Amino acid sequence: MDYHGRDETRHPPPPSPPPFLMANPSVSSLLTSSSTSRPLGDLDGLVGGRVRNGEPPAAVDGSPSACRKSVDDGRGEVVGENKERRKNPGKMRKITRPRIAFQTRSADDVLDDGYRWRKYGQKAVKNSTYPRSYYRCTHHTCNVKKQVQRLSKDTTIVVTTYEGIHNHPCEKLMETLAPLLDQMQFLSSF
DNA sequence: CGATTTTGACCTGCGC
DNA sequence: GCGCAGGTCAAAATCG
């Protein structure tokens, strides 16, 4: 796996909604994008319900857990940032990354946004009937993540939270544009 | 056979 | 300090 060399220290500007969202009528609401240091909490809470331990239903926010796991649990090996944390316990600063969350009305949990994602975890969350799924962009140099969760209140709504910004073009988009670009190059050669 | 998903264990942060 | 909840890892299973 390729978790090495992740540039977690960058602080890119807040992301704008993915291109597909712009023309997607099924997107019922864009939540927010900000960077605090509070956990996301459960998404049901996010849209009106209670967030963990009575916190007010907050907007989507930054992730504290980006700086995490430091041991190999006896099976694997210690990697990348984890080593750092081990060396400097408590010195690892909280890494906040731009996050953007939105609701979509869809039968599919995973909406096709043109990027390729690999699922790396699934977790049952409190106050929600449905589990939350965790995905990572499969592009080697890209460490964008997203969480997907269906609301228990309204099962037709899927909340997708993007974390980070893709540092590569959208594959589907490029596929679509490739012939056009070719043609443009051809024409401009005259 | 490589890529992806599943899933249980583990880690961290936070509230009490 | 303890327990809970969220987030991630990584081996095993599954898929194409």
Side-chain angles (χ1 to χ4, degrees):
Chain A
M1 262 177 215
D2 181 25
Y3 305 130
H4 302 262
R6 284 195 280 168
D7 187 4
E8 299 274 15
T9 58
R10 269 183 311 144
H11 288 263
S16 51
F20 76 95
L21 279 180
M22 300 310 189
N24 190 342
S26 67
V27 177
S28 53
S29 71
L30 182 65
L31 297 174
T32 58
S33 166
S34 63
S35 290
T36 68
S37 56
R38 195 82 68 59
L40 182 58
D42 65 279
L43 290 166
D44 282 358
L46 187 84
V47 290
R50 188 188 69 86
V51 176
R52 186 179 169 184
N53 289 333
E55 285 173 17
V60 183
D61 53 22
S63 164
S65 298
C67 51
R68 34 163 315 282
K69 187 157 184 172
S70 59
V71 281
D72 62 9
D73 79 6
R75 293 178 303 197
E77 42 187 355
V78 180
V79 292
E81 67 199 58
N82 303 335
K83 285 184 196 163
E84 274 311 308
R85 189 184 174 84
R86 218 179 208 177
K87 272 190 268 178
N88 301 308
K91 272 210 157 184
M92 179 85 101
R93 63 184 162 135
K94 286 194 175 177
I95 296 156
T96 57
R97 307 173 73 196
R99 275 194 170 190
I100 183 168
F102 45 83
Q103 299 176 31
T104 52
R105 200 172 288 276
S106 166
D108 296 323
D109 284 354
V110 183
L111 40 89
D112 184 5
D113 53 10
Y115 291 97
R116 294 190 61 209
W117 300 94
R118 171 162 36 244
K119 189 174 186 174
Y120 67 87
Q122 179 172 302
K123 188 85 180 174
V125 292
K126 257 223 149 180
N127 300 323
S128 179
T129 318
Y130 298 91
R132 180 180 299 166
S133 299
Y134 301 89
Y135 297 86
R136 217 191 306 264
C137 182
T138 57
H139 200 273
H140 347 278
T141 61
C142 181
N143 63 337
V144 174
K145 295 171 193 170
K146 77 171 176 180
Q147 301 176 359
V148 176
Q149 186 182 358
R150 191 171 288 277
L151 291 186
S152 51
K153 278 180 193 161
D154 185 346
T155 59
T156 63
I157 293 181
V158 176
V159 179
T160 306
T161 306
Y162 286 86
E163 184 178 319
I165 298 173
H166 294 280
N167 56 13
H168 58 97
C170 171
E171 290 176 24
K172 282 256 176 80
L173 194 62
M174 293 311 285
E175 251 175 57
T176 311
L177 292 180
L180 269 173
L181 288 171
D182 278 351
Q183 200 162 8
M184 282 176 72
Q185 276 180 341
F186 174 73
L187 290 172
S188 65
S189 67
F190 290 108

